[in-house]
Amino acid sequence: MKLHFKEDPREWRKTTLIGLIGPAVITGILRWRGVISTRFLIVVLAVIAVAALCVCLRPRWFRGHYRFTLRLGFYTTQIVGKVVLVALFFFILTPFGWILRLLGKDFLQLKSPENQKTFWHPARQDSSLDHLY
């Protein structure tokens, strides 16, 4: 999969404004929990408001931010996706296969019975739903 940038000021604006929501929410939660002071909260929210005003008036200034965050998110999801798939395979599918093998299950019919002379399976019988027209 290849990374594709949209060279559109609306995309730059949208990405930056969405990115400003995170720091605002985090500082609000920290103030609510009493970790930071009200003065610090006001300063952070003022900086966020100035950044939002700047991105609305001059989105070109935030093109680098857009490209950096898109690239960071793309490669992060690539790595996390591969790690999750490897973990799923090794911790869920592989033990499940071992358990089925220990129980003697052969759903793919990889072992052929000794008394079988051909590998053909008989055709299934047609039901009344097969001849609707």
Side-chain angles (χ1 to χ4, degrees):
M1 180 175 225
K2 186 177 178 185
L3 181 60
H4 176 69
F5 293 110
K6 293 181 182 177
E7 296 300 331
D8 183 17
R10 288 182 295 174
E11 291 296 323
W12 306 337
R13 184 180 304 121
K14 181 175 69 172
T15 302
T16 306
L17 288 175
I18 289 173
L20 291 175
I21 294 172
V25 169
I26 290 172
T27 54
I29 291 172
L30 290 176
R31 175 62 199 122
W32 176 61
R33 305 274 299 201
V35 176
I36 61 174
S37 66
T38 306
R39 181 178 297 168
F40 185 74
L41 174 69
I42 292 171
V43 169
V44 170
L45 292 179
V47 169
I48 290 172
V50 168
L53 183 65
C54 288
V55 77
C56 289
L57 297 176
R58 300 282 184 195
R60 184 165 294 281
W61 292 352
F62 296 89
R63 180 177 177 257
H65 174 265
Y66 163 77
R67 293 178 67 90
F68 172 74
T69 55
L70 195 68
R71 191 174 286 128
L72 179 70
F74 177 77
Y75 291 118
T76 302
T77 55
Q78 292 289 317
I79 292 169
V80 168
K82 289 176 182 166
V83 167
V84 167
L85 285 176
V86 166
L88 175 79
F89 182 78
F90 282 113
F91 297 119
I92 295 175
L93 291 178
T94 302
F96 185 67
W98 287 342
I99 291 169
L100 289 177
R101 182 166 289 193
L102 288 174
L103 294 176
K105 302 293 182 184
D106 188 19
F107 293 118
L108 296 177
Q109 298 175 352
L110 297 175
K111 293 181 182 178
S112 62
E114 291 89 21
N115 58 0
Q116 186 177 6
K117 295 180 180 171
T118 180
F119 290 103
W120 287 94
H121 295 284
R124 62 183 176 96
Q125 298 296 324
D126 290 338
S127 68
S128 62
L129 295 176
D130 290 336
H131 301 291
L132 293 176
Y133 300 107

